[in-house]
Amino acid sequence: MKNIKQDLEKLEEVSFEIEKEAFRPKILHCSNCNVKMKQKEMEIQVGKDISIRLRGFECPKCSKRYFGLEEAKKLDKAMIMSRLLNDSFKMTRKLSYDGDNYTFRIPKEFTNDVTKKKIEIVPLGNRNFCAYVN
Ligand SMILES: [Zn+2]
């Protein structure tokens, strides 16, 4: 188990551990209290603009939280997004409208080694989204 609190120094309200062996654990016991933890859906604030819903576990005794690896990866992406939104590096693209959809061009420097001609779009709230080549 790795305590990732060090990686999250700026996010004081976030404190939990990641069960490395369990990609999507079904049952977990608290390492402090040795009691069965409750499955819980949690909304975690990542930076000021982004919050993310994750399924994790919470100890009913000491309130310690755990996430499986899969959920931890989602949190990772959210943290990257938060960093991007707060960074000064930005690029402006012109939006075209075809009556149905908006389109914009992605600079080819961003698409090195792209073999799939598809991107994924993740909504981040009203008028905000993240598009990435997976
Ligand atoms: Zn506990």
Side-chain angles (χ1 to χ4, degrees), residues 30-35 37 58-64 66:
C30 179
S31 59
N32 292 341
C33 320
N34 206 27
V35 294
M37 299 179 95
E58 194 175 72
C59 175
K61 247 177 138 182
C62 71
S63 299
K64 197 170 188 171
Y66 286 83

Side-chain angles (χ1 to χ4, degrees), residues 33-81:
C33 320
N34 206 27
V35 294
K36 193 178 161 189
M37 299 179 95
K38 284 186 176 165
Q39 276 208 38
K40 197 179 172 189
E41 195 153 290
M42 302 172 217
E43 178 129 11
I44 293 176
Q45 192 71 34
V46 183
K48 65 176 164 61
D49 300 318
I50 296 180
S51 67
I52 183 170
R53 286 194 149 263
L54 295 175
R55 290 190 67 82
F57 294 84
E58 194 175 72
C59 175
K61 247 177 138 182
C62 71
S63 299
K64 197 170 188 171
R65 292 167 160 190
Y66 286 83
F67 292 112
L69 195 56
E70 194 171 292
E71 299 297 284
K73 282 181 178 173
K74 291 182 195 167
L75 181 64
D76 239 24
K77 281 186 182 172
M79 291 196 311
I80 290 167
M81 280 310 303

Side-chain angles (χ1 to χ4, degrees), residues 89 91-96 102-114 116-121 129-134:
F89 176 73
M91 188 172 272
T92 305
R93 299 274 102 179
K94 194 180 168 200
L95 276 179
S96 308
Y102 288 94
T103 56
F104 65 95
R105 294 175 187 277
I106 301 167
K108 72 172 184 221
E109 290 78 10
F110 288 5
T111 55
N112 279 343
D113 301 322
V114 171
K116 295 181 196 170
K117 302 281 186 233
K118 282 183 179 170
I119 62 165
E120 290 187 1
I121 299 171
F129 63 89
C130 163
Y132 62 96
V133 179
N134 201 1

